[in-house]
Amino acid sequence: MSSTIKKIGVFTSGGDSPGMNAAIRAVVRTCAYLKVECVGIYRGYEGMMESDFKVMDARSVNNIINKGGTILKSARCLPFRTKEGRQMAYDNLVKAGIDAFVVIGGDGSFTGAMTFNEEFNFPVIGIPGTIDNDIFGTTYTLGFDTALNTAVECIDKIRDTASSHNRLFFVEVMGRDVGHIALNAGVGAGAEEILIPEENLGLERLVESLRRSRLSGKSSSIVVVAEGDKTGKNVFELKEYVEEHLPDYDVRVSVLGHMQRGGSPSCFDRVLASRMGVRAVEALLEGKTNLMVGVQDNKITLTPISKAIKGHTKIDKELIRVSDIMST
Ligand code: ADP
C-alpha cells in the first residue's frame, strides 16, 4: 500500500470504556504490520496540546487486550474547543511528523476531530468507544457489551438478596439520553420493569404493574432505570413514590455507577476493537478521512463523522415487546 501517510497518532478521549486498550493495540499492531510509524498521544487532546507523545511499536501493546481503562489515559480538554488550542495541537503534530490520527472516543471527541480536520485538512478516523451505544453508524460501540455483562452480573446478585427478603429493587444503570444499557441489561437479568428515556409510560402504569406482579406470586421485583428516564423522578424519588402507593413493598435502591465503565473487556468487545483498529489504519492509508469505523450487519463499515454525531440511534422496539412479554 503506497500512501503519503508515514506516521499515525492514536489516542483515547472523553469518557473511557472497556475495549479501548484492545483498540489501541489493534491500531499499533496494524501500523507495525503495514510498516507505518505509530505514536501514542497521552490524555487525548490535552496531551496533543502538550506534545505528550510516545512512539509505539508492536511490543508496546503486549498484554493489554484484556485490560480495562486505557493505557494512553483519557481527558476532557476545554482549550481544544478554541481555535488557538487546536492550532497549538496542530503545530505539535506537525513538529512530531504525525500525518494523521485515529481517535477512540464518543461524539464529543469526534466533533473535535471533525472540526480539526476541516480547519487543517488533517486526516482523521474515529473508533466509537463509549458504553452508551449512542453513536449513529454502528450497531455496537466499544464497551457496550462489557458494560451490559457487568450490569447483568450485578443485577443477578441484587436479585439473590431481593428474593431472600421479598424486596423490590430499583437499579439505576448508565444512560442519560439513551436506554440501550437499561433495556438490554433489563431483559438479560429478567427485570420486571425497565424505564428508559425513549419511552415514558407513566408512574401509574408502573405501580399497577408492580401490584399485579405481587398478586401473581413473585417473590422479588427488579426495576431497571436508565439515568435519564423520563418519569420525572430519580431512583430515590421512585422508591418513595412506590412506598407511598404500595405500602406492602419493601423497597431498596442500588446505583451501579462507574463500575459499568470498568473491568476486563468481553470477548465481543476485544474482537470488535481488533476489527475496527485494523480498518481505521487501512482507511487512513487509502486516503480516507473524517470517517468513523462501525459495524453494521456484522460488516465493518465507514460512516462520515458528521453523520455519526448528528444521527440518532433507535431503541429496539422489538426488544421492548419481548421485555413486556417476559415480565408477565
Ligand atoms: P466523549 O468523546 O466521550 O463524548 P466529551 O464530550 O467530553 O467526551 O469530548 C471529549 C473532548 O473532545 C472534549 O474534552 C474536547 O476536548 C473535545 N471536544 C468536544 N466537543 C468539541 C467541540 N465542539 N469542538 C472541539 N473539541 C471538542
Side-chain angles (χ1 to χ4, degrees):
M1 223 180 283
S2 103
S3 165
T4 52
I5 291 172
K6 304 288 177 221
K7 202 187 262 192
I8 292 176
V10 59
F11 60 95
T12 49
S13 169
D16 60 305
S17 70
M20 281 185 158
N21 279 327
I24 295 167
R25 171 182 179 270
V27 169
V28 172
R29 292 251 166 108
T30 309
C31 285
Y33 180 79
L34 296 172
K35 312 232 175 320
V36 180
E37 276 189 84
C38 190
V39 175
I41 300 168
Y42 284 85
R43 298 176 288 119
Y45 295 118
E46 197 172 85
M48 203 181 281
M49 291 183 58
E50 295 171 13
S51 289
D52 196 356
F53 304 149
K54 187 179 159 206
V55 173
M56 299 180 91
D57 63 21
R59 296 286 74 75
S60 315
V61 288
N62 286 349
N63 302 325
I64 64 164
I65 192 168
N66 56 337
K67 300 237 159 45
T70 156
I71 58 160
L72 291 176
K73 312 281 181 192
S74 190
R76 293 201 154 94
C77 174
L78 268 184
F80 193 80
R81 291 173 182 265
T82 66
K83 176 83 206 249
E84 297 73 37
R86 292 191 293 273
Q87 181 70 52
M88 191 187 286
Y90 177 72
D91 292 343
N92 290 340
L93 291 176
V94 171
K95 222 183 295 165
I98 299 170
D99 314 300
F101 67 61
V102 176
V103 48
I104 306 164
D107 57 355
S109 304
F110 289 171
T111 307
M114 186 178 73
T115 308
F116 194 74
N117 166 266
E118 285 162 0
E119 279 172 356
F120 302 103
N121 194 25
F122 193 90
V124 304
I125 295 281
I127 293 180
T130 164
I131 63 166
D132 292 328
N133 210 33
D134 58 349
I135 305 231
F136 180 80
T138 188
T139 315
Y140 300 109
T141 55
L142 279 187
F144 174 58
D145 183 66
T146 306
L148 283 185
N149 285 313
T150 303
V152 165
E153 202 182 316
C154 293
I155 300 170
D156 283 350
K157 289 178 178 163
I158 290 168
R159 173 78 74 183
D160 288 346
T161 169
S163 50
S164 305
H165 295 275
N166 284 347
R167 277 179 181 150
L168 160 65
F169 265 86
F170 282 100
V171 182
E172 185 189 276
V173 298
M174 282 189 169
R176 247 179 239 128
D177 304 309
V178 290
H180 298 298
I181 295 183
L183 181 59
N184 285 272
V187 170
E192 276 61 36
E193 283 289 328
I194 302 167
L195 306 182
I196 54 177
E198 290 86 346
E199 274 208 323
N200 180 12
L201 300 176
L203 291 169
E204 277 167 30
R205 199 200 70 102
L206 173 69
V207 167
E208 198 39 50
S209 158
L210 292 172
R211 184 176 288 127
R212 268 202 319 269
S213 182
R214 165 104 341 162
L215 289 174
S216 77
K218 283 201 175 180
S219 64
S220 66
S221 291
I222 304 270
V223 180
V224 174
V225 187
E227 275 171 317
D229 94 281
K230 292 287 187 289
T231 54
K233 295 193 184 295
N234 66 33
V235 268
F236 298 99
E237 291 163 345
L238 283 171
K239 170 184 177 333
E240 282 170 18
Y241 186 87
V242 168
E243 280 174 339
E244 202 177 296
H245 291 82
L246 297 171
D248 286 353
Y249 265 110
D250 182 8
V251 192
R252 295 288 190 274
V253 169
S254 180
V255 177
L256 300 190
H258 282 79
M259 73 170 78
Q260 291 161 93
R261 285 211 187 164
S264 179
S266 65
C267 180
F268 181 88
D269 277 329
R270 296 180 200 192
V271 172
L272 185 61
S274 305
R275 295 173 76 193
M276 286 180 166
V278 169
R279 189 69 191 105
V281 173
E282 283 176 352
L284 283 174
L285 297 185
E286 288 162 12
K288 297 192 164 80
T289 182
N290 232 343
L291 300 169
M292 180 198 77
V293 183
V295 64
Q296 298 178 80
D297 295 329
N298 200 26
K299 300 248 171 4
I300 296 296
T301 55
L302 296 168
T303 300
I305 288 184
S306 56
K307 280 196 182 163
I309 55 182
K310 296 227 175 71
H312 292 287
T313 58
K314 291 205 173 67
I315 201 77
D316 186 346
K317 296 267 185 212
E318 176 60 15
L319 198 50
I320 295 181
R321 202 174 73 82
V322 168
S323 145
D324 288 343
I325 295 172
M326 287 305 107
S327 60
T328 301

